[in-house]
Amino acid sequence: MRRLSVAALVFLAALNPLFAGETGSISGVIKDSQGGVLPGASVKVSGPQLPAGREATTTRNGVYLFPRLLPGVYRVEATLQGLGTAAREIRVSVDNDAQVDLILNPTVTETVEVVAEAPAVDLKSTEVNFNFTAAALKDLPLARNYSGAFQRIPGLADNGTNTPSAGGSRQENTYLMDGVNITNPGFGTLDFEVNELDIAEFNMKRGAISAEFGRAAGFVANAVSKAGTNTISGSARMEYRAIGLQADPKDKAFGAVPSEYLNPALGVGGPLIKDRVFWYGSARYFKTTTPDRVNRVGTALPDLVSDGRELYGKITAMPTQKHLVNISFRDRPAHTDNAGLGAGTAPSVATNDDSSTRVATASWAFFMTSRSNIELKYLYLKENNESDPVTELGYRPTWDPRNLAAMGLYPDPTQANLSIGAAEYFNRQNYRRQEIKGTFSQYFDLGKTNHQVKLGAGYEFGEEELSRLTNGWGSLANITVSGQPVVRARYYFEQPAQLGQGRTWSAFVQDSMTIGRRLTLNLGVLLNKDEFAQDLEGSGGCPTTFTVPGFSPGGAAPFETDGDRCTFIRFGWKDEIQPRLGLNFNLREGQGDKLYANYGRYYNMDQKSSARSLAPRRIYQYEARFNATTGALISDVPRASTSGKVADPDLKPTYNDEFLAGYATPIGKDWSLDVFYMYRNTKNFIEDVPTKLPDTGPYAAGNLPCNLFVGCQNAEAKRKYQAGTIEINRRMAGRWSANVSYTYSKFEGNVDFDYGYAIFNTSSFIQDGPGTNVQEPNRYGPLRQDRPHVFKVFANVTPFGQLMLGGYLRVQSGTPWNARGRDWEGSTLNNYGTGVAGDLEAPGTHRNPTWTNFDLLASYRFKLGDRSSVNAEARLFNVFNTQTVLSVDSQRYLDLKTVSSPPYFAPYTDPNPLFGTPNSYATPRRLVLSATFAF
């Protein structure tokens, strides 16, 4: 084993790791015909993705390893003088180790060639890991993007691309492209899909995520793009969905209205320098038009039109066996006209939006020896989120109580609080992220143990630039204050843009230790350091005076000023120590099965929105109150929850503890079985809370529960997830394949971040005032994303020739719901029941119907030549047109009457006529046609 110097370790600590890889590996043992290991054997790997090949020499235990291989099929060849040659082909998948053992026999001089798929069970990893090639996805009635790949994950309910997974909210997932983070920095969501022709393979991690791959509390979704080879090849695809090929919704206001979708795309790759430098490029155009929409009172809504284009380029270079370089750039301008409309809005509320994105990446891998390598990565992401109201009302027009629709965004009580007027503000909410990352890997034997050690470190900077200006008087609400009817207006005035900045440093060490032939330990620890800051022009940095009794900056809340920048929360290395302990044991030696178990801690601080939501100085709203009858101005003051915050000096980062155990085994030649149990428990929720009740301010950032502030004392926040999963898989053989999975789970607690729209995971509507308190006894129960039963069946068959038939059956529990009322904030429905609202209900009092859906695919490949073909395809979604109710209107009352003393609410008196009625349905049957030309 080659020892690392102290200087080398210091250098490595300046690098960074936490990227989900875009590569896999091949490892194995070279033996003689008697079963003895062969040290010093020469091993070579080569394939279309590595035409020049790479070479290694076996260790004293006869072991070899080829890391950082792009996904694809490779030939592994071993030779030793006097013992001949043996070879085998194997498929490499992303972040999987393909084990290939070869036997050299002096009596056999010719090459022994065996073509094989990747092993059914990865014996060296405890991660709950799923890999799907582009070819596997195209044979099923699924989208060939993230949302389609999500459906393949056992236990993951169908809730869209921003879906929660395995006890983590949608804001605790991580989305990557080629191993670099394209997750929205502000809200933790996936805001755009990439060109499906770019995708070579998807890798999904649902649990037991190793230290190398970060701290996502939900799942990690990684799409790996194609790379060029020595052969010029590519494909052109046209996908079209016509309005006439879709069934009508049950209700135009609440169902999915038929839309026209057009998506031509092209992807081509080839060599620049044979065997050494390759290129890949793609382009596509996309447009969706949704006409014939209406709101819940039957008013026609303007057509929703979303369109854009996407250009992508990638260079892959292997100038020598020791170097691998990848450089890519993606440009994706996108726009939407008449956005923001739905069943609960008037046409005038529409906005025109810009959601353009640019992503640039660069990576370099250096193979110093056959047993050690280093990789560096850089990412730059810029994401727009801009919207302009279609109806402009001017800035704070003269108040007219008789025409509130001309004053702002107004819930009309005569139309069950239908939003009329206009969008409340002009919004500029743009994001950028920069990351630099690196890992060092060393492979060695120590006695009878084999080690794959990785070290890494890194730095990430995320920033949100936020600028808002009110349209009219902003957002209006009818409330009653001490018996007096009032119209409340919340509006943004002219002020400088706020820069919310989050910085993360990371370091990890990890060892995959194989002991003997049957036991592998996955041991690691991840360390993070986080800083959250705001930069507001003219602010002078942090506040110099604090009005909260008992509060003084310090600890996790340093309040350090640098010009106009204020660093207000800091978690150090010792605050975010995250051990990962995994075990894999080959129960039946040589049979490819394993018992596995894992414990991990994951600190949930990747979302950088805290840099805005918890900032001590920020752009903020004013709250004006007008007499509902006369229009007289009663008050006009800064809104308490937006005008700045302090942070508890004893603040601690939110984390998940996860326990996982399972058994996986091949069954015969083509089948495999995986059974596992997962438990996740979330602690140290961070919330912005009023320092005193009700929310008259100032607000503070504290854990739930906390000691310093009244608003979070005794606020015991809980969230737990438990799930058992069984998956049976049959790989393609005899012209058919299948996958069957079932998950039974419980997702319960009193903190639910998924209200149906983007919110901050450290600034939800919990503890913002009366009616939202987690300590209310009615609040604990099944959370919004609880789906106790999720059953999935995937199957495809080639009955004859080039005809492919594929099917997807999904059965999942419906959404839990309960009667709720408007809370202290007035615009949200988080009052689950107080002493004066006994007919409000606890979570899970009701549940929507079980959702069953069946999709079909039929495709036929017409061969045009040796290397060219046309594939015609039809996908029929929701074959039986079962438009199941997915959600209902849970608002029992329309009014909100507050009083100045506990319980702060007067009885609700205005029933909602739509309470309990459906407000969304499963998407109707639709037919999508496409054709792909491959060459």
Side-chain angles (χ1 to χ4, degrees):
M1 169 184 171
R2 183 171 297 178
R3 296 183 179 274
L4 293 173
S5 68
V6 173
L9 288 173
V10 171
F11 170 72
L12 291 171
L15 305 174
N16 166 20
L18 306 177
F19 60 89
E22 60 196 283
T23 59
S25 62
I26 299 175
S27 67
V29 181
I30 308 302
K31 302 177 183 180
D32 61 25
S33 58
Q34 304 303 312
V37 299
L38 294 175
S42 177
V43 187
K44 181 178 180 180
V45 63
S46 61
Q49 295 79 17
L50 189 66
R54 197 188 303 163
E55 297 179 354
T57 303
T58 57
T59 68
R60 65 186 180 189
N61 290 336
V63 178
Y64 72 92
L65 170 70
F66 290 107
R68 307 200 188 284
L69 298 173
L70 297 173
V73 175
Y74 290 86
R75 173 188 170 91
V76 181
E77 182 179 288
T79 60
L80 186 63
Q81 187 173 2
L83 290 180
T85 299
R88 183 178 173 187
E89 285 191 351
I90 191 75
R91 175 173 292 279
V92 172
S93 297
V94 175
D95 198 36
N96 270 252
D97 182 66
Q99 291 102 44
V100 178
D101 296 342
L102 295 175
I103 297 175
L104 298 182
N105 191 329
T107 63
V108 179
T109 58
E110 72 271 13
T111 296
V112 177
E113 184 93 17
V114 179
V115 179
E117 290 292 326
V121 177
D122 186 346
L123 297 177
K124 294 187 177 182
S125 174
T126 52
E127 289 181 330
V128 180
N129 208 27
F130 304 96
N131 286 79
F132 314 114
T133 64
L137 286 178
K138 79 176 181 60
D139 291 337
L140 292 168
L142 299 169
R144 282 63 187 253
N145 50 25
Y146 288 91
S147 60
F150 293 161
Q151 304 310 311
R152 289 294 309 270
I153 302 176
L156 183 63
D158 185 352
N159 300 303
T161 56
N162 293 326
T163 183
S165 168
S169 82
R170 63 184 177 182
Q171 299 167 348
E172 294 163 353
N173 302 326
T174 299
Y175 306 92
L176 307 119
M177 182 70 192
D178 286 336
V180 291
N181 199 337
I182 61 170
T183 313
N184 178 280
F187 295 104
T189 56
L190 174 66
D191 285 346
F192 68 94
E193 296 277 10
V194 299
N195 186 348
E196 67 177 65
L197 296 183
D198 295 344
I199 306 301
E201 186 171 317
F202 278 99
N203 174 259
M204 303 286 182
K205 300 179 186 299
R206 187 171 178 234
I209 299 170
S210 62
E212 179 184 4
F213 292 93
R215 53 183 178 173
F219 60 70
V220 175
N222 185 24
V224 177
S225 67
K226 296 175 181 176
T229 66
N230 274 336
T231 303
I232 295 179
S233 62
S235 57
R237 178 178 174 88
M238 170 62 79
E239 183 172 285
Y240 180 65
R241 184 178 66 225
I243 291 176
L245 298 179
Q246 301 167 73
D248 292 330
K250 281 187 177 180
D251 187 323
K252 284 189 177 181
F254 298 108
V257 177
S259 59
E260 182 180 66
Y261 178 61
L262 180 66
N263 180 21
L266 172 69
V268 185
L272 283 175
I273 302 175
K274 186 179 180 181
D275 293 344
R276 300 301 179 187
V277 183
F278 311 95
W279 61 272
Y280 173 82
S282 69
R284 72 165 175 146
Y285 171 78
F286 49 93
K287 183 176 183 179
T288 302
T289 303
T290 309
D292 200 23
R293 301 187 299 163
V294 298
N295 62 22
R296 66 189 180 203
V297 297
T299 305
L301 300 176
D303 293 355
L304 176 68
V305 180
S306 298
D307 66 343
R309 59 171 175 80
E310 184 174 10
L311 297 173
Y312 177 67
K314 179 179 180 180
I315 297 294
T316 301
M318 290 169 273
T320 72
Q321 287 192 28
K322 290 184 175 292
H323 299 272
L324 172 63
V325 177
N326 279 295
I327 300 172
S328 69
F329 178 73
R330 187 178 302 275
D331 181 40
R332 184 185 177 277
H335 304 84
T336 301
D337 293 334
N338 297 315
L341 298 180
T345 62
S348 58
V349 175
T351 61
N352 293 330
D353 297 353
D354 176 11
S355 56
S356 301
T357 306
R358 287 184 173 180
V359 184
T361 67
S363 67
W364 168 60
F366 175 43
F367 304 94
M368 295 174 284
T369 71
S370 62
R371 302 178 192 176
S372 60
N373 64 82
I374 190 169
E375 182 172 48
L376 302 178
K377 280 195 173 185
Y378 172 76
L379 160 78
Y380 176 81
L381 176 145
K382 186 178 186 299
E383 181 179 330
N384 287 353
N385 179 22
E386 301 183 356
S387 61
D388 294 323
V390 171
T391 305
E392 297 188 23
L393 303 177
Y395 178 67
R396 297 198 306 173
T398 302
W399 186 261
D400 184 355
R402 297 163 298 179
N403 188 12
L404 294 180
M407 298 296 99
L409 181 65
Y410 176 62
D412 186 356
T414 67
Q415 302 182 74
N417 282 352
L418 181 79
S419 294
I420 65 174
E424 60 179 308
Y425 47 68
F426 296 82
N427 186 65
R428 299 291 180 271
Q429 196 170 343
N430 299 327
Y431 304 94
R432 66 187 178 103
R433 171 188 282 122
Q434 295 189 73
E435 294 179 82
I436 182 169
K437 308 178 176 185
T439 55
F440 170 79
S441 302
Q442 178 71 51
Y443 180 65
F444 61 91
D445 293 338
L446 185 63
K448 294 185 178 181
T449 64
N450 173 258
H451 298 259
Q452 296 181 36
V453 175
K454 294 183 179 182
L455 303 171
Y459 173 74
E460 175 190 350
F461 173 75
E463 181 178 73
E464 176 194 63
E465 181 180 3
L466 178 67
S467 176
R468 286 176 176 168
L469 181 64
T470 195
N471 185 32
W473 283 89
S475 176
L476 313 182
N478 290 309
I479 62 175
T480 301
V481 180
S482 300
Q484 180 182 17
V486 170
V487 177
R488 184 192 66 197
R490 290 174 172 173
Y491 66 92
Y492 287 95
F493 62 97
E494 293 180 333
Q495 53 193 312
Q498 176 187 349
L499 301 181
Q501 300 170 343
R503 293 171 171 82
T504 296
W505 293 261
S506 53
F508 81 94
V509 60
Q510 182 171 296
D511 183 12
S512 180
M513 180 194 310
T514 302
I515 304 172
R517 293 179 296 183
R518 301 171 65 182
L519 178 63
T520 299
L521 301 179
N522 301 125
L523 309 175
V525 62
L526 167 65
L527 305 176
N528 286 109
K529 174 184 174 182
D530 288 290
E531 286 187 357
F532 298 94
Q534 59 100 60
D535 195 330
L536 185 63
E537 182 182 350
S539 68
C542 299
T544 56
T545 59
F546 301 92
T547 59
V548 180
F551 172 80
S552 60
F559 283 78
E560 294 178 352
T561 295
D562 181 7
D564 285 334
R565 182 160 66 91
C566 173
T567 300
F568 55 90
I569 293 177
R570 176 181 292 138
F571 298 123
W573 299 105
K574 64 181 178 62
D575 299 317
E576 300 184 77
I577 300 173
Q578 300 157 82
R580 311 291 164 83
L581 308 173
L583 175 149
N584 300 272
F585 180 67
N586 182 199
L587 193 63
R588 298 174 298 148
E589 186 174 2
Q591 299 302 307
D593 69 342
K594 68 174 181 180
L595 284 169
Y596 60 100
N598 192 85
Y599 163 74
R601 175 164 289 186
Y602 305 82
Y603 280 97
N604 310 150
M605 304 307 300
D606 274 340
Q607 186 180 323
K608 301 296 188 257
S609 63
S610 300
R612 189 240 292 193
S613 63
L614 303 180
R617 284 181 171 167
R618 52 184 291 185
I619 69 167
Y620 59 97
Q621 288 177 292
Y622 264 72
E623 182 171 299
R625 295 186 175 187
F626 298 90
N627 184 290
T629 304
T630 66
L633 179 65
I634 300 172
S635 62
D636 189 9
V637 297
R639 183 184 173 194
S641 63
T642 68
S643 56
K645 296 181 176 69
V646 295
D648 190 335
D650 295 325
L651 196 69
K652 294 178 175 60
T654 304
Y655 70 88
N656 269 27
D657 275 336
E658 177 194 86
F659 300 88
L660 185 144
Y663 174 71
T665 181
I667 303 175
K669 178 182 177 183
D670 302 318
W671 295 82
S672 63
L673 169 71
D674 194 1
V675 181
F676 62 91
Y677 167 79
M678 178 185 292
Y679 172 86
R680 280 177 167 169
N681 190 13
T682 309
K683 297 288 186 67
N684 289 347
F685 289 91
I686 299 175
E687 273 303 314
D688 61 335
V689 298
T691 55
K692 54 185 178 180
L693 293 175
D695 67 340
T696 53
Y699 267 61
N703 292 121
L704 300 181
C706 71
N707 297 317
L708 184 58
F709 307 114
V710 173
C712 50
Q713 291 173 358
N714 303 313
E716 184 69 25
K718 301 176 182 179
R719 189 178 69 184
K720 293 182 180 179
Y721 175 85
Q722 300 181 72
T725 296
I726 180 170
E727 180 190 21
I728 300 173
N729 187 70
R730 186 186 192 275
R731 67 178 60 184
M732 177 60 77
R735 303 178 74 86
W736 70 283
S737 68
N739 179 278
V740 181
S741 67
Y742 169 72
T743 297
Y744 174 73
S745 66
K746 292 177 66 177
F747 188 27
E748 56 190 351
N750 55 12
V751 177
D752 193 346
F753 291 129
D754 296 291
Y755 296 105
Y757 44 86
I759 54 174
F760 305 120
N761 65 353
T762 55
S763 182
S764 68
F765 292 110
I766 298 296
Q767 292 299 115
D768 275 13
T772 70
N773 300 317
V774 297
Q775 59 267 38
E776 291 179 0
N778 261 12
R779 183 170 289 276
Y780 190 89
L783 298 180
R784 186 75 60 86
Q785 301 299 339
D786 179 58
R787 303 289 188 275
H789 304 281
V790 178
F791 175 73
K792 299 181 180 183
V793 178
F794 298 93
N796 53 40
V797 60
T798 305
F800 57 84
Q802 299 299 312
L803 176 66
M804 172 64 73
L805 301 176
Y808 171 28
L809 172 67
R810 171 182 60 246
V811 182
Q812 68 181 46
S813 299
T815 310
W817 68 278
N818 60 289
R820 295 184 289 168
R822 292 169 64 194
D823 56 62
W824 189 260
E825 287 296 301
S827 58
T828 54
L829 300 175
N830 294 315
N831 191 352
Y832 285 51
T834 66
V836 296
D839 51 352
L840 300 184
E841 299 168 333
T845 302
H846 311 279
R847 189 176 289 275
N848 289 313
T850 297
W851 180 16
T852 301
N853 189 79
F854 181 54
D855 303 330
L856 277 177
L857 170 144
S859 67
Y860 193 88
R861 180 172 174 263
F862 299 91
K863 192 171 182 180
L864 303 180
D866 292 339
R867 294 184 54 247
S868 61
S869 64
V870 171
N871 193 69
E873 177 187 271
R875 285 178 286 167
L876 185 62
F877 297 98
N878 195 356
V879 173
F880 300 110
N881 199 28
T882 52
Q883 298 184 43
T884 308
V885 174
L886 300 184
S887 64
V888 301
D889 191 330
S890 61
Q891 183 176 1
R892 189 179 286 275
Y893 296 98
L894 298 175
D895 60 322
L896 173 63
K897 299 178 175 66
T898 63
V899 295
S900 58
S901 58
Y904 301 109
F905 292 94
Y908 297 99
T909 59
D910 186 9
N912 176 14
L914 299 178
F915 171 70
T917 61
N919 58 18
S920 71
Y921 297 88
T923 304
R925 181 172 53 230
R926 60 204 185 280
L927 178 65
V928 179
L929 303 176
S930 63
T932 304
F933 171 64
F935 58 92

